[in-house]
Amino acid sequence: MLKKNKKYNCILAIESSCDDTSIACIKNNLVVANKVITRNDLHLKYGGIIPELASRTHSKQFNPLLQEILAEAKIKINDIDYIAYTSHPGLVGCLHTGKVFAKTLSFLVDKPLIPIDHMIAHAFSFSINNNKIIDFPFICLDASGGHTIIYLFNDLNNYYILNETNDDAVGECLDKIGRILNLPYPGGKSLDAIYNSKKNYLKLIQHKKPTDHFSFSGLKTCVKNIVDKNKQIDSVLVGSSALKWCVDDLINKLKFYSSCYDCKFIVIGGGVAANSLLREEVKNLNKKTYIVEKKYCGDNAAMIANLANLIINDK
């Protein structure tokens, strides 16, 4: 069990693993300020994220965003006790930009740095602003644009990867399928918007065994072949069927692993956890399940601050 609320600190957190720029503040174990700047408009014409463009955007947004956070949290820069930042994984240039900003702040205010694993922060984001004791073990699905991983957490620092993707992450796959179907970027969000439960029956590729690694590149290729071979495409039919395939794959593997381990509950986090169909289908897991609040599903600094807070309280 991991106890919370043992210490009362002011933590500033910086998240810049991909294209979203985010800064948050936790004070007395509660998120008092959290802002995320998403610039999909910058990447829209490319159909995806341009790392160099994302890095430059971070560097321009950090300082004004910091001032907004300090004002909203009603603190001064010297009130901060710790500075947390996303150290990995992510786009190298974006991570470096955030690290430099965090290190500069740390030097200026003479406060310690806490490097944070982005994926583990997603896994524990269900506990944001939740003062209850976290019971272990639990199973977590981290589903995002860059990763698809199922963890078994025996403790905050004792965890195992039970399954992960061999190729595309599920979010990446959905974004690419959206692009193949000429849907607005980001494709995963567009597929969520057009999903029709009465038009999800298209036969696609066969699901693999639950013990096999996640793999979504075959589905993406299947959809591309369907589009290439047909002059007229029903985007709702193809998109709904592809989304249903992905969600079924996630749920099937979660059912299998939750039956193999005596876990207290299941957590679902990451950007894809905001998907409406996935949020509905988790009801079929027959296990106590925490699905992260939508506002904390995507990349955000609140989850970075939250994990830093857990680490501090665990010492």
Side-chain angles (χ1 to χ4, degrees), residues 209-222:
K209 295 182 296 184
T211 51
D212 290 338
H213 283 286
F214 283 112
S215 177
F216 298 98
S217 63
L219 176 67
K220 177 190 64 181
T221 302
C222 175

Side-chain angles (χ1 to χ4, degrees), residues 79-100:
D79 294 331
I80 297 168
D81 298 303
Y82 296 90
I83 296 171
Y85 70 96
T86 301
S87 61
H88 67 287
L91 301 176
V92 175
C94 295
L95 290 171
H96 181 71
T97 303
K99 180 180 179 179
V100 169

Side-chain angles (χ1 to χ4, degrees), residues 98-117:
K99 180 180 179 179
V100 169
F101 186 71
K103 279 194 165 186
T104 302
L105 283 179
S106 174
F107 175 78
L108 289 173
V109 298
D110 192 26
K111 296 296 167 66
L113 275 173
I114 304 177
I116 295 294
D117 184 318

Side-chain angles (χ1 to χ4, degrees), residues 39-138:
R39 294 298 306 275
N40 285 337
D41 57 314
L42 292 176
H43 307 281
L44 180 61
K45 63 179 179 180
Y46 304 106
I49 296 164
I50 306 302
E52 177 64 22
L53 186 58
S55 299
R56 292 180 181 182
T57 304
H58 288 316
S59 63
K60 294 177 182 178
Q61 293 173 333
F62 278 139
N63 278 318
L65 196 56
L66 173 63
Q67 299 309 313
E68 290 182 31
I69 290 295
L70 293 176
E72 185 172 329
K74 298 179 181 178
I75 61 170
K76 296 180 180 179
I77 193 72
N78 288 321
D79 294 331
I80 297 168
D81 298 303
Y82 296 90
I83 296 171
Y85 70 96
T86 301
S87 61
H88 67 287
L91 301 176
V92 175
C94 295
L95 290 171
H96 181 71
T97 303
K99 180 180 179 179
V100 169
F101 186 71
K103 279 194 165 186
T104 302
L105 283 179
S106 174
F107 175 78
L108 289 173
V109 298
D110 192 26
K111 296 296 167 66
L113 275 173
I114 304 177
I116 295 294
D117 184 318
H118 177 86
M119 297 309 295
I120 305 303
H122 269 308
F124 281 88
S125 55
F126 76 96
S127 66
I128 294 174
N129 289 349
N130 183 347
N131 294 326
K132 294 181 180 179
I133 292 173
I134 300 175
D135 284 329
F136 296 94
F138 69 85

Side-chain angles (χ1 to χ4, degrees), residues 66-282:
L66 173 63
Q67 299 309 313
E68 290 182 31
I69 290 295
L70 293 176
E72 185 172 329
K74 298 179 181 178
I75 61 170
K76 296 180 180 179
I77 193 72
N78 288 321
D79 294 331
I80 297 168
D81 298 303
Y82 296 90
I83 296 171
Y85 70 96
T86 301
S87 61
H88 67 287
L91 301 176
V92 175
C94 295
L95 290 171
H96 181 71
T97 303
K99 180 180 179 179
V100 169
F101 186 71
K103 279 194 165 186
T104 302
L105 283 179
S106 174
F107 175 78
L108 289 173
V109 298
D110 192 26
K111 296 296 167 66
L113 275 173
I114 304 177
I116 295 294
D117 184 318
H118 177 86
M119 297 309 295
I120 305 303
H122 269 308
F124 281 88
S125 55
F126 76 96
S127 66
I128 294 174
N129 289 349
N130 183 347
N131 294 326
K132 294 181 180 179
I133 292 173
I134 300 175
D135 284 329
F136 296 94
F138 69 85
I139 284 175
C140 173
L141 167 67
D142 263 347
S144 67
H147 301 83
T148 307
I149 304 172
I150 294 180
Y151 292 101
L152 172 65
F153 282 92
N154 293 314
D155 204 339
L156 181 64
N157 300 303
N158 179 2
Y159 58 89
Y160 302 91
I161 292 177
L162 301 177
N163 201 309
E164 61 183 328
T165 183
N166 267 340
D167 40 61
D168 290 354
V170 62
E172 177 186 5
C173 173
L174 292 172
D175 281 345
K176 288 179 178 177
I177 288 174
R179 185 166 60 190
I180 291 169
L181 297 175
N182 291 318
L183 298 176
Y185 174 83
K189 188 175 181 179
S190 293
L191 288 172
D192 189 2
I194 69 167
Y195 179 76
N196 186 334
S197 61
K198 296 180 180 179
K199 300 187 76 173
N200 63 9
Y201 53 81
L202 191 65
K203 295 292 184 181
L204 300 171
I205 61 174
Q206 185 174 354
H207 286 282
K208 295 184 177 181
K209 295 182 296 184
T211 51
D212 290 338
H213 283 286
F214 283 112
S215 177
F216 298 98
S217 63
L219 176 67
K220 177 190 64 181
T221 302
C222 175
V223 171
K224 189 176 188 310
N225 289 338
I226 290 172
V227 172
D228 290 345
K229 291 177 182 178
N230 295 275
K231 292 183 179 180
Q232 291 185 331
I233 291 293
D234 183 342
S235 295
V236 175
L237 172 63
V238 178
S240 297
S241 299
L243 178 56
K244 183 67 163 58
W245 190 99
C246 289
V247 170
D248 284 349
D249 199 55
L250 299 175
I251 295 296
N252 288 341
K253 282 182 166 54
L254 277 174
K255 283 182 177 179
F256 171 77
Y257 287 110
S258 64
S259 69
C260 294
Y261 298 92
D262 185 23
C263 59
K264 305 285 186 179
F265 52 86
I266 297 171
V267 172
I268 300 177
V272 179
N275 180 268
S276 303
L277 178 60
L278 179 58
R279 297 181 82 86
E280 181 64 27
E281 290 295 317
V282 298

